[in-house]
Amino acid sequence: MKFCSQCGHKVTMQVPENDNRLRAVCSHCDTVHYKNPHLITGTVPVAPDGRILLCRRAIEPQLGLWTLPAGFMENGESTIEGALRETLEESMVQGENPRLLSLISLPQWNQVHVFYRISMVNFSFAPTEESTEVKLFTQEEIPWDELAFETVEFTIKHHYETLGKNDTVLNTEIYFNTNQNS
Amino acid sequence: MKFCSQCGHKVTMQVPENDNRLRAVCSHCDTVHYKNPHLITGTVPVAPDGRILLCRRAIEPQLGLWTLPAGFMENGESTIEGALRETLEESMVQGENPRLLSLISLPQWNQVHVFYRISMVNFSFAPTEESTEVKLFTQEEIPWDELAFETVEFTIKHHYETLGKNDTVLNTEIYFNTNQNS
């Protein structure tokens, strides 16, 4: 952020009164601009036969790798509504009965990922603008080496570890290894 | 948002290509500005004798009412780190053993509230700049009619309903009644 979104003047980084962090502050209109973590919401769609659905990413980052349907939560929706919307947008899957499955913080990305286990109402799904391929996998078929994100890997593992146990939520944090720059 | 935070030019509200929502878009530098929900993280601090800690708010909104320690999650921290930081800042309580207790969406406020049950390491607590009074309450003593927020009420109730049951997370949504404008 270089300019004030309220008045258009240049902002400077300073610690506001009664605060202890550097913020972008506008000395013209006195607005303090806060930057906060983003919420990503998604699902583990479970087909009527127990297989789970993955999407092959049509967009960066991690283009070509497999992921769970997920995306940025929008204003005006709940975490569940966002997760079901993203699932529809990315895989054309109609889901129901969402149950909280994982809440994973990514402090270095300023993100929090929330995943729900959902039941697919039938076997309908299809590729979309965001997914070149959408497919059901048994546990043995999961392409562990081609998953797009660590939160997806953690969440899928937690799905299998907790099958049949309701209300068991994975709550953890992921830090990337700065040596690997990934 | 009226001006582009990247180049300072005026933004206009439009639906960007491959999108379906109105965004603030800068026609000068082509930046799309997204607005997303904010995360609030907090705790139910449980004293060694089982009483829980509440803070009387020293600041608006809901000045003078009782609340659980909570606040906006900051970049660079996890939900747990944010919750423990806010607890320290608002009540001088040192907490440990955080367990996810509630995840509550507030679509009309563009907020998601996440609360953890934590154990106070001892009986130390104190008022702060954000809390005029900090106090321990038994279940019978909870000032239900003087709680600052519905998410606080829901979370305290869920705390008592699930005592001794680990990993039972309340996941719900709260919509305000537009007739009451509150």
Side-chain angles (χ1 to χ4, degrees), chain B residues 22-50:
Chain B
L22 278 174
R23 316 277 185 190
V25 178
C26 178
S27 55
H28 183 75
C29 73
D30 289 335
T31 302
V32 180
H33 298 277
Y34 298 91
K35 290 268 185 192
N36 301 95
H38 286 101
L39 262 164
I40 280 84
T41 55
T43 66
V44 175
V46 182
D49 64 1

Side-chain angles (χ1 to χ4, degrees), chain A residues 60-100:
Chain A
E60 294 287 0
Q62 302 291 58
L63 188 146
L65 295 186
W66 291 95
T67 192
L68 293 166
F72 286 97
M73 184 179 174
E74 297 277 3
N75 277 353
E77 66 185 8
S78 69
T79 48
I80 289 177
E81 286 164 353
L84 294 175
R85 175 184 53 71
E86 288 288 345
T87 304
L88 187 64
E89 286 176 5
E90 299 194 354
S91 66
M92 298 300 286
V93 160
Q94 204 79 41
E96 61 184 11
N97 192 17
R99 290 139 287 168
L100 185 60

Side-chain angles (χ1 to χ4, degrees), chain A residues 16-84:
Chain A
E17 211 182 307
N18 298 322
D19 200 342
N20 51 24
R21 283 167 197 257
L22 277 174
R23 316 279 184 188
V25 178
C26 178
S27 55
H28 184 75
C29 73
D30 289 335
T31 302
V32 180
H33 298 278
Y34 298 92
K35 290 269 185 192
N36 301 96
H38 286 100
L39 261 163
I40 280 84
T41 54
T43 66
V44 176
V46 183
D49 64 1
R51 285 184 292 173
I52 71 169
L53 180 137
L54 296 176
C55 305
R56 197 192 279 276
R57 288 177 65 81
I59 49 177
E60 294 287 0
Q62 302 291 58
L63 188 146
L65 295 186
W66 291 95
T67 192
L68 293 166
F72 286 97
M73 184 179 174
E74 297 277 3
N75 277 353
E77 66 185 8
S78 69
T79 48
I80 289 177
E81 286 164 353
L84 294 175

Side-chain angles (χ1 to χ4, degrees), chain A residues 22-174:
Chain A
L22 277 174
R23 316 279 184 188
V25 178
C26 178
S27 55
H28 184 75
C29 73
D30 289 335
T31 302
V32 180
H33 298 278
Y34 298 92
K35 290 269 185 192
N36 301 96
H38 286 100
L39 261 163
I40 280 84
T41 54
T43 66
V44 176
V46 183
D49 64 1
R51 285 184 292 173
I52 71 169
L53 180 137
L54 296 176
C55 305
R56 197 192 279 276
R57 288 177 65 81
I59 49 177
E60 294 287 0
Q62 302 291 58
L63 188 146
L65 295 186
W66 291 95
T67 192
L68 293 166
F72 286 97
M73 184 179 174
E74 297 277 3
N75 277 353
E77 66 185 8
S78 69
T79 48
I80 289 177
E81 286 164 353
L84 294 175
R85 175 184 53 71
E86 288 288 345
T87 304
L88 187 64
E89 286 176 5
E90 299 194 354
S91 66
M92 298 300 286
V93 160
Q94 204 79 41
E96 61 184 11
N97 192 17
R99 290 139 287 168
L100 185 60
L101 187 61
S102 64
L103 170 68
I104 307 176
S105 292
L106 299 152
Q108 292 152 310
W109 281 277
N110 303 319
Q111 290 184 359
V112 175
H113 293 202
V114 175
F115 283 94
Y116 290 88
R117 181 187 278 146
I118 62 169
S119 306
M120 293 170 61
V121 299
N122 53 40
F123 284 97
S124 292
F125 55 87
T128 62
E129 284 191 357
E130 299 178 48
S131 311
T132 55
E133 195 179 350
V134 181
K135 204 175 145 184
L136 296 176
F137 294 84
T138 65
Q139 185 170 0
E140 293 68 34
E141 292 166 346
I142 302 289
W144 296 107
D145 296 335
E146 293 174 61
L147 295 180
F149 306 107
E150 239 176 327
T151 55
V152 167
E153 179 189 336
F154 278 39
T155 299
I156 296 174
K157 284 185 178 161
H158 190 68
H159 162 71
Y160 287 116
E161 284 163 8
T162 59
L163 264 180
K165 303 175 199 164
N166 273 335
D167 292 328
T168 303
V169 179
L170 173 69
N171 183 206
T172 188
E173 292 142 37
I174 297 176

Side-chain angles (χ1 to χ4, degrees), chain B residues 58-69:
Chain B
I59 48 177
E60 294 287 2
Q62 302 291 58
L63 188 147
L65 296 185
W66 291 95
T67 191
L68 294 166

